[in-house]
Amino acid sequence: MATGTDQVVGLGLVAVSLVIFTYYTAWVILLPFIDSQHVIHKYFLPRAYAVAIPLAAGLLLLLFVGVFITYVMLKNQKVTKKAQ
């Protein structure tokens, strides 16, 4: 069973994810239909970042996964050499 701290951290992560999803959805889907002179545009980055930020985040995720897999494979290879 999860402790109270785990539940609070989980709720915080869900809340942050919901805010990011809502912001990104409004930025990508709703903002193009609003006049470019409207005040709301000052709260959002330029539209080019709507592609660049998720692309960079995806590449970083793939990099970290690749590094982790490489680390685990090299560590397991050293353990098997010691056992023999």
Side-chain angles (χ1 to χ4, degrees):
M1 195 68 168
T3 64
T5 305
D6 293 339
Q7 290 178 347
V8 169
V9 170
L11 181 63
L13 289 173
V14 168
V16 168
S17 298
L18 182 63
V19 168
I20 291 172
F21 176 76
T22 304
Y23 178 85
Y24 188 78
T25 302
W27 183 23
V28 172
I29 295 175
L30 300 177
L31 208 59
F33 296 107
I34 299 174
D35 185 31
S36 62
Q37 302 302 321
H38 198 275
V39 176
I40 198 165
H41 280 275
K42 72 178 184 179
Y43 297 109
F44 294 92
L45 292 171
R47 203 169 294 146
Y49 290 112
V51 174
I53 292 173
L55 180 66
L59 289 174
L60 280 174
L61 178 68
L62 286 175
L63 174 71
F64 288 133
V65 167
V67 168
F68 176 74
I69 290 173
T70 303
Y71 173 75
V72 169
M73 290 179 69
L74 289 175
K75 188 176 178 183
N76 286 341
Q77 188 178 18
K78 289 178 184 178
V79 170
T80 55
K81 284 184 180 179
K82 287 182 182 179
Q84 293 175 356

